[in-house]
Amino acid sequence: MAEAEGATEGTPRRRGWWFQFPAPLREVAWVRLVGSIGAGGVLYLTPMVFHQQAFSAASVTQGVALAALAGTGGRFLSGWLLDRGLNCSVPVLLAALTALLADVRLLGALDLPAYLQGQLLMGVSMGLYWPAIELAVPLSCQQGAHTIPSARGYALVRSADAAGIATGALLGAGLAAAGQLRWIYGVDMVCLAAMALLLVLRPLPNPKRRAVGSGLELGSGWWRPLLPVLAVALLATALPALMQSALPLDLVRGGLERQALPESVGALLIGLKLGLLLLIQWPVGQALARRPVRVGLGLSLAAFALGTALLGASALSGAGLVLVLLAQIPLAFGEAAFLPVASEAVVEITPPQHRGLAMALFSQCFALSALTAPLLAGLALDRQGHGVGVWFTAAALCLGGQLLVQRIRPRSLVAA
């Protein structure tokens, strides 16, 4: 087996596109693919599950916000342990176990307390998962006979994420059409078990250990160059949070002129954007890997602004469904540009011995956005009855975020 693997690494072109990547990176991609299949249905379709239970928009988004808040401690714990040399597999395995408990609770949840308990567990799981699985990418890129830049590694694993999430959302759409939408949690449980098996058979890499007694070393200022990146991330990560919470509710409730859509059609529209993301994630990520991170982040915010503006305009037209469909193109491009570029920016700017905590800070932006954006959007949807204000406000903020992008220093000035 070792000899076969060595031959694979030594002849990547003859063995195909997949084998141009180091074997440890391919393992990370497989883990993320399998895990994302289950997560695709859970993250994007949970609002529809509990809309069927007649929960208000505010109640549904409260659960999303609680999950974000619960992940805060898990993120910093995961990052702190990673900086002390803990294998990346351990937080991911703990995350899988916690997510299994969350799925069991959500599968049988019929009232608000049970729903909130499931969301709390899901948030803890995500908090443990993301710093470890993100840090595993640059570590894996430097292993094996053929090392590659971490920017290309992030393009690959984000493509795996996109493939898994699109598959999971489409499976959820099929379950919705069959009247069995709640079984998205059963799909997630199967995927989590498979992901855990992969990790047991082949663990992820060990991070570089920081010197004992160094503490968090926040006073050393290593985190200051990250602030512009984190500010942009805080804004950009609000958009996926709104796509997971406010958009499903907006679609099934309708706009000022746009008719309400059945849950199955709303799920298919979300699956369309995720499928488009799957198609463009690799080429977009690969192209932007060759350019300064400011280029990718600026393009991402511009695309998010266009997409949310189209969503806002869709509520004002009886043919708004067409605008919703058109909006999926820039929204998918914005996500494809942001996700790998932002992770690469964190790696480039942060010293290796602090990358665990840096990834925790970065993933915390997802948590903070998921804490505030769904709550505000849910209140707006309940009070206004439509998403016009939500989407046009998001578009304006994304345009203003270009000022933050300009504060990010070029790669040549931020040596890791």
Side-chain angles (χ1 to χ4, degrees):
M1 176 65 76
E3 292 180 0
E5 184 65 33
T8 295
E9 294 294 343
T11 58
R13 293 182 181 176
R14 285 189 294 160
R15 296 298 299 271
W17 175 85
W18 176 244
F19 294 99
Q20 69 181 288
F21 302 104
L25 181 64
R26 301 200 301 267
E27 172 69 12
V28 175
W30 275 117
V31 169
R32 293 176 72 137
L33 173 66
V34 173
S36 295
I37 292 173
V42 172
L43 291 177
Y44 282 89
L45 301 180
T46 285
M48 290 186 180
V49 171
F50 291 94
H51 172 76
Q52 292 179 343
Q53 287 294 125
F55 283 29
S56 69
S59 296
V60 172
T61 52
Q62 281 174 14
V64 177
L66 178 62
L69 183 62
T72 301
R75 283 174 168 83
F76 285 116
L77 175 63
S78 180
W80 183 80
L81 291 173
L82 291 168
D83 280 348
R84 276 149 183 78
L86 183 71
N87 186 277
C88 294
S89 296
V90 177
V92 178
L93 285 169
L94 290 174
L97 175 60
T98 309
L100 279 169
L101 296 175
D103 286 329
V104 171
R105 195 71 182 106
L106 290 169
L107 184 61
L110 298 176
D111 54 24
L112 183 60
Y115 165 67
L116 294 178
Q117 291 167 14
Q119 288 292 81
L120 186 148
L121 288 168
M122 194 64 72
V124 172
S125 172
M126 292 297 100
L128 292 168
Y129 176 83
W130 278 111
I133 206 68
E134 286 285 88
L135 184 58
V137 176
L139 295 173
S140 299
C141 289
Q142 299 306 310
Q143 295 188 3
H146 295 273
T147 63
I148 64 170
S150 56
R152 295 190 65 226
Y154 279 116
L156 175 68
V157 299
R158 289 299 185 179
S159 298
D161 291 342
I165 290 174
T167 302
L170 289 174
L171 285 173
L175 290 170
Q180 302 292 328
L181 181 57
R182 192 177 285 263
W183 279 100
I184 57 174
Y185 303 113
V187 173
D188 191 38
M189 285 188 275
V190 173
C191 293
L192 288 168
M195 185 176 72
L197 179 61
L198 287 173
L199 290 170
V200 170
L201 293 175
R202 191 167 183 177
L204 300 176
N206 292 310
K208 182 176 181 179
R209 184 168 183 169
R210 180 147 34 99
V212 176
S214 60
L216 296 182
E217 292 188 4
L218 294 177
S220 65
W222 60 266
W223 47 271
R224 289 192 183 94
L226 278 176
L227 291 179
V229 176
L230 296 178
V232 171
L234 190 62
L235 176 60
T237 53
L239 274 299
L242 291 176
M243 296 304 108
Q244 295 167 17
S245 57
L247 181 58
L249 295 174
D250 190 27
L251 292 176
V252 298
R253 294 171 63 151
L256 290 172
E257 298 293 336
R258 188 188 68 235
Q259 294 184 348
L261 301 175
E263 283 88 353
S264 58
V265 176
L268 282 173
L269 279 174
I270 294 171
L272 172 65
K273 193 269 285 187
L274 296 174
L276 182 58
L277 177 61
L278 169 61
L279 291 177
I280 67 174
Q281 180 66 82
W282 170 253
V284 169
Q286 179 79 339
L288 293 177
R290 304 185 183 98
R291 291 168 173 80
V293 292
R294 288 195 301 183
V295 173
L297 294 177
L299 287 173
S300 173
L301 289 183
F304 279 141
L306 176 59
T308 50
L310 288 171
L311 288 177
S314 73
L316 306 176
S317 170
L321 179 59
V322 175
L323 293 178
V324 173
L325 289 170
L326 289 176
Q328 306 313 305
I329 299 173
L331 289 172
F333 180 87
E335 196 164 341
F338 171 76
L339 291 173
V341 172
S343 297
E344 171 63 14
V346 173
V347 171
E348 288 185 2
I349 293 172
T350 310
Q353 66 270 26
H354 294 293
R355 285 178 181 164
L357 279 174
M359 285 300 176
L361 288 170
F362 172 58
S363 64
Q364 197 65 23
C365 295
F366 289 79
L368 291 174
S369 295
L371 175 64
T372 56
L375 275 177
L376 295 175
L379 291 172
L381 287 171
D382 280 342
R383 291 178 181 178
Q384 298 175 4
H386 54 77
V388 174
V390 172
W391 304 122
F392 281 137
T393 299
L397 290 173
C398 288
L399 289 176
Q402 297 291 347
L403 297 175
L404 292 171
V405 173
Q406 300 308 312
R407 297 176 66 95
I408 299 174
R409 292 180 294 170
R411 294 185 181 189
S412 59
L413 300 178
V414 287

